[in-house]
Amino acid sequence: MQTVPLRNPAERARLSGHEARLACRRGEITGSTAGLAHGYVQGNLAVLPKDLATDFLLFAQRNPKPCPIVGVSAPGERRIPELGEDLDIATDIPGYRVWRHGEVVEERLEVADLWRDDLVAFVIGCSFSFEAAMVEDGLPLRHVEMGVRVPMYRTSIPCVPAGPFGGPMVVSMRPLKPAQAIRAVQITSRFPAVHGAPVHLGLPEAIGIRDLMRPDYGDPVEIRPDEIPVFWACGVTPQSVIAASKPDFAITHAPGAMLVTDRRNAEFAVL
């Protein structure tokens, strides 16, 4: 998926959360939402049948770094009022994945015709929220500079299982100079509800990543000689878990394509 070039980056950043959702609903924005609606919380999506919802909620509670829940729908509901007015889970994300028995069978721009009365939607905190704070502090974001999706990798770090759900943690990576990495730890520690501080710095092989130029999700980015890879727990982890647990049916966001809410990033800062 590629972003439709209807707005330049500055215009995309100035959109409100509501304006961004409407643009996604109209199909004017697809693909990555990095840099979209500056200051507004974005979220990953996992939609599962009601009979699996309790186990998934327990899984998220046991794994708060990769799966910080910021909103849950009632069964069959496509709206989560606490995350935004005029919000439709089935149409307002610029890229969905449809899963059957642990396999992605389709990618599409809306899932309204697939919605069922037994589906429960979970919105999970996204690193794009702490990225805004990093940008404000002058830290570079290579994937934004390159206009690509942040690189994401399945690791050897196991999640704590719950019911049928279990599997490896997924991390996102941003290359930084060592001094910048220290500052990034300080900044992102303020946002535990959207993944918080990094889970690993440097030595990708120590967490099971063989080749940084071959991410499992997203796109590779340049890592310069004076930089180290910095890894944060990632809200794509549920997709790794869905692949491992193989539920009959699930819907997720396409990696990098998030739900933009009406909540502000500052609401989730602890300092």
Side-chain angles (χ1 to χ4, degrees), residues 196-218:
V199 295
H200 189 74
L201 290 84
L203 300 177
E205 62 277 7
I207 56 172
I209 300 172
R210 296 181 179 180
D211 187 349
L212 289 175
M213 292 298 106
R214 298 182 65 184
D216 295 293
Y217 313 92

Side-chain angles (χ1 to χ4, degrees), residues 92-104:
D92 294 358
I93 293 175
Y96 296 85
R97 283 181 160 184
V98 181
W99 299 71
R100 296 189 187 276
H101 305 288
E103 300 286 341
V104 177

Side-chain angles (χ1 to χ4, degrees), residues 23-46:
C24 294
R25 190 182 303 176
R26 293 190 296 263
E28 296 174 0
I29 294 174
T30 62
S32 176
T33 55
L36 183 65
H38 181 76
Y40 288 89
V41 171
Q42 299 191 28
N44 305 270
L45 178 70

